[in-house]
Amino acid sequence: PAASADGTSLGLLKGMFTATSAVCVTGLSLIEAGRDLSLFGQIVLLCLIQVGGLGFMAFATLGMVLIGRRISLHSRILLSESMNQNGLSGMVRLSLWFFAMALAIELTGAALLASRLIPRYGTARGLWLSLFTAVSAFCNAGFDVLADVDVGGSLCRYATDPVVNFTIMALIIIGGLGFAVWGDIRHHRRFSRLSVYSRLVVIITTVLIFGGAGVFAALEWNNPNTIGDLTVPQKLMAALFQSVTLRTAGFATFDQNALSDVSKAASDLLMLVGGSSGSTAGGVKTATVGVILLSAWSTARGRTSVHVMKRRIPRQAVENASALFILVLLLSGLGAAFLSIADHVSLENALYETISALCTVGLTTGITSSLGTASQIILIVLMFFGRLGIMTISVGFMAANRAEERVSYAETKIMIG
């Protein structure tokens, strides 16, 4: 009850839904955090977001360093896998550097947001709102405690504020690039010297952000319920923000249910892709989708192997990427069908909701709180799997010993297409 603003317990389901959404850095919620949670509840929420965003193993390592315990080889291996690193050398030092960088970025973002929030809310409350929002944006969580429900919630009040918009976008992008890319940039600094993976992530991220912004600007230009009533620079900024926040961040500067059908479909695609491996973002990841597209391009050109930047991608990586993408599509579709049948919502909105949950985005068309208990439990499962299940499966693909083929059958012909 101490976590509730009115001293009355939120209840087990709402508590579980909120905690899962926070630790899985999703942002879907059955409550209005800024209105329904006390300061204690908001602090608990912020801690869950920070732990979920930066990773359990990273926090465990920090804790062991602080109390002077030795980091075991097993812990170093788990830490290396969770941060998408290839070697074990310097993992503890690297994780501490990541912590310091994350803290510096979050505090910088909070300071920029404070320049806008302190004049409105006062010094103490403005600083708290700025810190919470900055951490939530960097961790791609999408939670806010602004409680601006009278103007649409989330960041709708600041849809035309360039400082708030570009600060949040920068935090989302930096958090979504991933620890591996951070480390690569730290060591090499020049794009041409980065690893193939890092260059692929940066290129795909750039294309998706600006390509998505162009699509939303074109589709929503004259829609008065989204960006239609804004000035030209404001329309471009809102379209860019929409493209960035769909990379699993979950903030919104306008009503998502007011999007056109085509825009919702484009949103679904961007949410499915998400951020990068080993980052605070969710989704099937940029490199995974990149590998699938490169495989399709190679097949169309009649090649038997997949190449990128004068390097060959292992066939097993291509198969793993395809399997993971199909699994996410299947779970999203089944979850949407259940929501649509159980709660009589449109399949379009149900699909938007399930993809948002599974890919830990947190954007909603407004149907989350109106769903029945069974549907809300489905969303909890999808959020949990989207954050931990996809990661576990990905690590399993990399670490598992391949099954021995004890029987070799004769080939058969299958018609494709």
Side-chain angles (χ1 to χ4, degrees):
S4 178
D6 60 4
T8 304
S9 173
L10 296 176
L12 182 60
L13 180 60
K14 286 184 178 180
M16 185 66 177
F17 195 101
T18 305
T20 304
S21 186
V23 81
C24 296
V25 290
T26 304
L28 287 177
S29 183
L30 302 179
I31 62 172
E32 179 58 51
R35 181 189 61 195
D36 299 333
L37 293 181
S38 63
L39 178 60
F40 170 74
Q42 292 175 13
I43 292 173
V44 171
L45 191 65
L46 183 65
C47 291
L48 290 174
I49 290 171
Q50 189 76 89
V51 173
L54 297 186
F56 302 105
M57 281 307 304
F59 268 95
T61 300
L62 178 63
M64 286 187 282
V65 169
L66 291 177
I67 63 177
R69 287 191 60 184
R70 182 180 178 84
I71 311 298
S72 66
L73 177 61
H74 179 66
S75 296
R76 291 173 188 268
I77 293 173
L78 291 177
L79 184 63
S80 175
E81 290 176 347
S82 68
M83 298 176 72
N84 202 31
Q85 298 295 307
N86 294 321
L88 299 180
S89 177
M91 280 308 306
V92 175
R93 185 170 61 253
L94 183 62
S95 66
L96 295 178
W97 180 82
F98 284 148
F99 262 110
M101 283 298 297
L103 181 61
I105 292 168
E106 289 171 346
L107 290 177
T108 302
L112 291 171
L113 292 174
S115 67
R116 286 295 190 267
L117 299 183
I118 287 179
R120 178 176 180 82
Y121 297 99
T123 302
R125 180 161 173 76
L127 286 173
W128 167 245
L129 295 177
S130 300
L131 178 63
F132 189 102
T133 307
V135 172
S136 182
F138 177 76
C139 293
N140 281 219
F143 276 99
D144 73 274
V145 288
L146 300 174
D148 284 333
V149 292
D150 56 321
V151 291
S154 195
L155 299 179
C156 290
R157 185 183 297 278
Y158 303 96
T160 59
D161 189 320
V163 173
V164 173
N165 276 259
F166 285 103
T167 299
I168 295 296
M169 283 191 279
L171 289 169
I172 292 169
I173 293 170
I174 294 171
L177 282 177
F179 298 121
V181 179
W182 284 15
D184 207 2
I185 293 174
R186 175 197 179 197
H187 283 100
H188 298 101
R189 300 183 185 278
R190 290 178 58 183
F191 183 79
S192 59
R193 293 181 178 178
L194 298 180
S195 67
V196 172
Y197 169 78
S198 296
R199 281 182 283 169
L200 190 63
V201 165
V202 172
I203 291 172
I204 294 175
T205 298
T206 303
V207 170
L208 288 176
I209 288 175
F210 290 102
V215 169
F216 287 116
L219 294 175
E220 301 295 321
W221 194 265
N222 296 315
N223 185 347
N225 297 316
T226 54
I227 67 175
D229 293 336
L230 304 179
T231 64
V232 172
Q234 291 170 350
K235 287 180 179 180
L236 295 176
M237 182 174 68
L240 183 63
F241 188 93
Q242 177 72 3
S243 181
V244 171
T245 195
L246 285 166
R247 312 299 308 291
T248 83
F251 290 100
T253 54
F254 55 76
D255 181 12
Q256 298 297 297
N257 196 37
L259 288 167
S260 65
D261 293 344
V262 180
S263 294
K264 287 182 181 179
S267 299
D268 289 341
L269 291 176
L270 287 176
M271 288 192 293
L272 279 170
V273 176
S276 303
S277 300
S279 72
T280 61
V284 296
K285 306 299 187 295
T286 49
T288 303
V289 174
V291 167
I292 294 172
L293 294 177
L294 288 169
S295 175
W297 176 247
S298 296
T299 302
R301 297 179 65 186
R303 292 182 174 179
T304 56
S305 58
V306 182
H307 299 92
V308 59
M309 301 176 190
K310 298 182 180 180
R311 294 291 187 274
R312 180 175 58 84
I313 298 176
R315 195 69 210 170
Q316 192 61 54
V318 177
E319 294 172 359
N320 293 344
S322 301
L324 185 62
F325 191 70
I326 291 172
L327 177 61
V328 171
L329 284 178
L330 183 63
L331 289 175
S332 300
L334 291 175
F338 182 89
L339 263 62
S340 182
I341 294 171
D343 292 279
H344 308 290
V345 297
S346 69
L347 184 61
E348 177 185 56
N349 285 348
L351 187 62
Y352 194 98
E353 213 77 8
T354 54
I355 292 177
S356 180
L358 184 59
C359 297
T360 69
V361 180
L363 288 172
T364 177
T365 56
I367 66 172
T368 303
S369 58
S370 64
L371 296 174
T373 301
S375 295
Q376 291 174 358
I377 292 174
I378 290 294
L379 291 181
I380 289 176
V381 173
L382 289 176
M383 287 190 291
F384 190 85
F385 181 84
R387 184 58 180 165
L388 301 181
I390 290 178
M391 185 188 303
T392 303
I393 290 175
S394 300
V395 172
F397 279 151
M398 293 184 291
N401 295 322
R402 309 313 303 176
E404 181 183 353
E405 299 289 346
R406 303 181 65 181
V407 178
S408 179
Y409 294 99
E411 289 187 352
T412 185
K413 291 184 177 182
I414 300 292
M415 295 181 66
I416 304 297

